[in-house]
Amino acid sequence: MKLPGNMQQMMRQAQQMQEKMQQEIALIRVEATVGGGMVTVKVDGQKNLLSVKIDPEAASDLEMLQDMIVAAVSEGIKQVDAQIQQKMGGMLGGMGLPPGMF
């Protein structure tokens, strides 16, 4: 099925935008710190945990350390989500789509 020329162009543009978005997301790197710097994590745009730094003092309370790691990773993922939303909003803003569609 052949699409009208304008529709083909729109589909091509949408595909290019999606590829650009994926490239930008791949470059995202965030750092989240909890416990006054006792635990710091780095997360990438695909929400992969890249690194964990733990202050040796935090190791004295294992249960607290576990909670801080979970909190730091959760915060890192929230920061990634916020950056993705911001990038998508900027990219999709010029398309004239209804608010909340993405």
Side-chain angles (χ1 to χ4, degrees):
M1 178 177 168
K2 186 164 169 121
L3 298 171
N6 192 26
M7 186 63 118
Q8 284 181 329
Q9 182 181 3
M10 286 177 58
M11 294 296 285
R12 215 173 299 120
Q13 286 177 334
Q15 184 177 7
Q16 289 171 346
M17 286 177 63
Q18 181 181 11
E19 289 170 3
K20 182 180 179 192
M21 177 65 69
Q22 288 172 343
Q23 291 170 353
E24 288 185 23
I25 289 171
L27 296 175
I28 293 174
R29 298 287 184 276
V30 300
E31 188 172 283
T33 302
V34 297
M38 296 193 82
V39 175
T40 301
V41 299
K42 290 184 182 176
V43 181
D44 71 11
Q46 280 82 34
K47 301 177 187 173
N48 295 312
L49 181 61
L50 301 175
S51 69
V52 178
K53 290 183 184 177
I54 300 171
D55 185 313
E57 290 182 32
S60 63
D61 185 345
L62 189 57
E63 190 172 319
M64 181 181 72
L65 176 58
Q66 292 168 341
D67 290 343
M68 285 192 292
I69 292 170
V70 170
V73 172
S74 294
E75 179 59 29
I77 290 171
K78 285 179 190 177
Q79 289 179 24
V80 167
D81 285 340
Q83 285 193 24
I84 291 171
Q85 284 296 109
Q86 183 180 16
K87 286 182 184 301
M88 285 183 70
M91 195 171 272
L92 297 174
M95 292 182 68
L97 298 173
M101 187 163 178
F102 286 97

